[in-house]
Amino acid sequence: MSKKIILTGDRPTGKLHIGHYVGSLRRRVELQNSGLYDKIFVFEADAQALTDNIDNPEKVRQNVIEVALDYLAAGLDPSKTTLFIQSQIPELCELSFYFMDMVSVSRLQRNPTVKTEIQMRGFNGESIPVGFFTYPISQAADIAMFKATTVPAGDDQEPMLEQCREIVRRFNNIYGETLVEPNILLPDNAACLRLPGTDGKAKMSKSLGNCIYLSDSADEVNKKVKTMYTDPLHLQVSDPGHLEGNTVFTYLDAFSTDEQVARITGDYATLQEMKDHYTRGGLGDVKCKKLLMEVLQETLEPIRQRRAEYEKDIPAVYEILRKGCEVAREEACKTMDEVRRAMKINYFDDRALIEEQARRFQK
């Protein structure tokens, strides 16, 4: 029976925000605690982060610990989940190099996720760092190295997973069944697929400054919710409101339960009842935002408390990462042994080859 293995990760370019939480991190904790998976790997893609931060390594270096704290605070348990750092597994570079021979430039150019990321960073055709341009290959190596069967991610990552499957499929077709084709595991709540920024922009992004961070204080969260984008046509409380594009209700869909809505408001049994009132008019944005503040505080306060405990012993957090890297590297070495054997580049381990060549030259 094949093993069920999860792999997922984040670029350590800043603290994690609530978009990360509902898009993937919350699900990772649920999967970790489900007992349904044989192995779970969660890593910090620091090498990938350097592809467009090569002149600012300190940014990546400082955020490695921030992301580790966010992981632990959110509930990832190092006794159940292997936490590691990408750059500390040199075998990933080797596999990426071999994978580069299996992807054309035109195929990378067609990857919609790559196109979007290039546009966001303002690169033109000649200024794109090669490492950044090829990061779908690097990501495929990350996934294939640990033979991940499942990758929890947002829907914006589906093109990356499809590219990974293509690479693995081609490798196996050429060299024999060696690697595993992964499947994406999307959030089961549609509102969590791609949480918009507090300003209503399509995606919450560190670079756009429209984030609520997992480590934000209660006051910071409330301040950001107060300025959140709602319905620009909802000028008076009596005006009918619109839900589409209204970030407050999008966030309530992502975070709240009907039990919370009933308990906190005292006026509505379900979120849908509140939505109905808003759309017919007579419900102000302030009351909706107050509900969201309470819901977010109930979600984030336990995370803040766990983070505060881990912050008391930072060397211990680094030790967790170091041990995780050791476990991850051991797995990577096993996979690379199989890859080299399949590619017939395991020259010194192949006794049959050595003996065959010896006989050939003795004739």
Side-chain angles (χ1 to χ4, degrees), residues 63-271:
N63 280 303
V64 162
I65 191 65
E66 294 286 359
V67 172
L69 287 167
D70 285 332
Y71 283 165
L72 295 167
L76 288 179
D77 182 348
S79 70
K80 300 177 181 178
T81 297
T82 300
L83 304 175
F84 70 96
I85 303 171
Q86 185 185 41
S87 64
Q88 305 305 298
I89 315 300
E91 289 75 15
L92 291 171
C93 293
E94 182 180 357
L95 188 57
S96 295
F97 186 79
Y98 301 146
F99 278 1
M100 286 182 186
D101 297 329
M102 299 183 178
V103 184
S104 67
V105 171
S106 62
R107 176 63 183 91
L108 286 174
Q109 289 173 328
R110 293 197 304 272
N111 188 309
T113 305
V114 174
K115 288 182 180 179
T116 300
E117 295 289 345
I118 287 172
Q119 292 171 353
M120 283 179 59
R121 286 161 174 77
F123 293 136
N124 59 45
E126 296 182 354
S127 69
I128 304 169
V130 172
F132 184 82
F133 181 64
T134 60
Y135 86 80
I137 299 173
S138 171
Q139 192 172 82
D142 296 332
I143 296 167
M145 183 68 81
F146 298 95
K147 298 188 176 182
T149 57
T150 307
V151 179
D155 63 345
D156 60 324
Q157 291 298 306
E158 176 56 41
M160 305 293 280
L161 266 291
E162 180 54 36
Q163 185 129 46
C164 176
R165 286 189 286 268
E166 289 176 11
I167 293 171
V168 167
R169 200 174 302 133
R170 187 171 184 201
F171 185 98
N172 288 343
N173 286 339
I174 296 171
Y175 300 114
E177 291 295 322
T178 308
L179 303 174
V180 176
E181 291 187 38
N183 293 309
I184 193 169
L185 181 63
L186 297 170
D188 51 14
N189 182 335
C192 301
L193 288 175
R194 196 175 303 186
L195 200 69
T198 55
D199 55 1
K201 296 287 175 63
K203 186 177 181 181
M204 184 173 287
S205 168
K206 291 172 281 192
S207 60
L208 296 175
N210 59 1
C211 302
I212 294 175
Y213 293 99
L214 294 178
S215 55
D216 278 348
S217 68
D219 288 343
E220 287 170 329
V221 172
N222 289 343
K223 182 178 179 181
K224 290 177 180 180
V225 172
K226 286 177 183 177
T227 61
M228 192 174 283
Y229 182 85
T230 55
D231 174 13
L233 301 178
H234 190 235
L235 302 177
Q236 304 291 331
V237 172
S238 58
D239 292 337
H242 300 84
L243 301 178
E244 186 175 356
N246 189 322
T247 55
V248 171
F249 281 100
T250 302
Y251 281 35
L252 286 171
D253 280 331
F255 284 94
S256 71
T257 64
D258 286 339
E259 181 277 328
Q260 284 178 307
V261 173
R263 172 169 48 80
I264 294 170
T265 67
D267 297 325
Y268 309 100
T270 65
L271 179 59

